[in-house]
């Protein structure tokens, strides 16, 4: 199996190692340089834009098995390893509690990511990034396993959330912060996380959370893996879901790599885009 990918942008095109590809983006340095949090999100999508399809039981959606693959997962892990805090959703905690979701960063329990555990340790980072859970319903338990090793779970919700549920979760999880009236507002979310001292903020959540980040203009970078497969099918989720973004969220291509060995030789594109709005020149 090839250990490299072909970097297409920036030019000149050249072979570069897969391992370390996104660690080299050093988002922690970018956060420090801009003096405010660096917010980044990641998706793997089919050519027809599907990021989630119904699971085997027909209820709920999962990342399509036809596009999930170990080389993309490696890069997902490299992005998670750099985070101070990972954004997830109420849906993730419901799945976690029912045994249908895994830890986001697997550096501690999967030997193939042991280098990422070392990478965090060398920088004095805790084994796991903290977790920021976005939820309006607050309808989930906090699994004790998530709090292991002193990890903080911060719940970001709305002013309209059930007060008693907020108190209960605060007692069991730590912090519950309203950051929006009827819906979590991206700017208030990032402000709250910045206030807690977080610099590298990684969204591992889905299309509604990406929408709230884009609508508020707080997303710095989008990582997108485009798997060379079309899936069709209905229903499905795509990378962003919600009302028309006005204005549209303009992005500039930052890096592009072709992974010819990915998906058993079918190939996939590893793309990263910077928000044009944030005026980045990285
Ligand atoms: N292919 C990929 O790379 C990829 C990446 C990420 C996710 N996915 C898939 O996409 C699907 C959806 O993922 P997801 O549920 O994590 O993401 P999501 O659709 O972004 O978020 C859903 C949950 O987040 C909360 N939420 C979202 N926007 C909110 C707002 N404005 N205010 C308050 N709460 C809000 C809600 O929680 P409550 O219901 O608790 O209120 C909602 O149920 C899953 O099947 C997942 O596997 C795929």
């Amino acid at each position: 199996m090839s250990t490299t990918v072909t970097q297409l942008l920036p030019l000149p095109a050249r072979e570069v190692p897969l391992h370390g590809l996104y660690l080299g983006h050093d988002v922690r340095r970018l956060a420090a340089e801009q003096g405010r949090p660096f917010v980044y999100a990641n998706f793997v999508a089919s050519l027809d834009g599907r990021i989630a399809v119904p699971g085997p039981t027909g209820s709920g959606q999962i990342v399509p098995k036809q596009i999930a693959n170990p080389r993309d997962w490696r890069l997902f892990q490299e992005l998670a390893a750099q985070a101070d805090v990972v954004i997830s959703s109420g849906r993730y905690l419901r799945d976690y509690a029912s045994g249908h979701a895994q830890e986001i960063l697997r550096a501690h329990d999967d030997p193939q990511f042991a280098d990422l555990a070392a990478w965090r340790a060398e920088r004095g980072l805790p084994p796991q990034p903290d977790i920021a859970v976005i939820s309006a319903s607050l309808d989930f338990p906090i699994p004790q396993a998530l709090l292991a090793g002193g990890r903080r779970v911060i719940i970001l919700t709305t002013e309209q959330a059930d007060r008693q549920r907020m108190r209960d979760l605060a007692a069991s999880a730590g912090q519950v912060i309203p950051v929006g009236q009827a819906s979590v507002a991206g700017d208030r979310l990032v402000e709250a996380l910045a206030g807690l001292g977080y610099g590298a903020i990684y969204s591992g959540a889905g299309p509604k959370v990406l929408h709230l980040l884009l609508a508020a203009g707080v997303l710095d970078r989008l990582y997108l893996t485009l798997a060379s497969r079309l899936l069709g099918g209905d229903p499905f989720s795509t990378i962003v879901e919600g009302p028309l973004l006005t204005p549209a969220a303009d992005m500039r291509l930052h890096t592009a790599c072709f992974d010819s060995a990915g998906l058993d030789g079918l190939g996939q594109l590893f793309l990263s885009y910077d928000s044009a709005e944030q005026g980045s020149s990285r």
Side-chain angles (χ1 to χ4, degrees), residues 9-224:
L9 199 82
L11 292 168
R14 61 193 177 107
E15 288 298 298
V16 295
L18 173 70
H19 282 212
L21 186 68
Y22 284 171
L23 280 182
H25 285 197
D26 200 353
V27 298
R28 303 184 62 76
R29 178 181 56 81
L30 299 177
E33 280 175 7
Q34 67 185 13
R36 59 174 170 78
F38 186 84
V39 183
Y40 56 114
N42 176 66
F43 290 91
V44 56
S46 64
L47 285 184
D48 48 345
R50 274 125 172 102
I51 63 135
V53 295
T57 61
S59 74
Q61 296 202 344
I62 58 166
V63 177
K65 297 214 177 316
Q66 302 94 319
I67 61 170
N69 70 90
R71 292 167 74 88
D72 170 68
W73 186 232
R74 166 72 202 185
L75 295 186
F76 178 100
Q77 292 294 314
E78 289 194 4
L79 294 173
Q82 295 173 67
D84 289 315
V85 64
V86 174
I87 296 177
S88 72
S89 70
R91 191 274 318 160
Y92 170 74
L93 283 203
R94 286 189 283 278
D95 285 359
Y96 192 102
S98 65
H100 294 114
Q102 54 184 341
E103 277 289 351
I104 291 168
L105 176 60
R106 303 298 303 275
H108 64 299
D109 68 345
D110 188 337
Q112 65 175 318
F113 302 125
D115 64 311
L116 299 179
W119 190 95
R120 285 186 69 86
E122 280 159 19
R123 285 156 184 79
L125 299 171
Q128 287 285 350
D130 291 341
I131 296 193
V133 181
I134 298 187
S135 173
S137 74
L138 301 183
D139 180 18
F140 49 79
I142 299 289
Q144 281 310 303
L146 271 193
L147 301 168
R151 176 166 41 174
R152 287 166 82 186
V153 176
I154 303 123
I155 296 157
L156 289 311
T157 189
T158 70
E159 312 285 354
Q160 295 179 2
D162 184 86
R163 293 282 140 177
Q164 185 56 45
R165 187 70 193 128
M166 285 171 75
R167 282 192 288 275
D168 291 348
L169 281 171
S172 65
Q175 238 166 333
V176 181
I177 311 174
V179 286
Q181 195 54 38
S183 172
V184 164
D187 49 351
R188 289 185 58 190
L189 161 75
V190 173
E191 203 178 298
L193 293 177
L196 293 170
Y198 296 118
I201 302 177
Y202 181 36
S203 178
K208 297 194 181 94
V209 170
L210 186 65
H211 189 282
L212 72 87
L213 296 173
L214 290 170
V218 293
L219 185 79
D220 290 280
R221 184 173 292 167
L222 173 66
Y223 286 92
L224 180 63

Side-chain angles (χ1 to χ4, degrees), residues 250-275:
D250 294 348
M251 309 298 287
R252 285 187 215 288
L253 187 58
H254 170 246
T255 58
C257 292
F258 181 60
D259 175 29
S260 59
L263 291 167
D264 300 323
L266 195 56
Q268 58 193 337
L269 280 168
F270 295 137
L271 305 169
S272 71
Y273 291 88
D274 279 336
S275 162

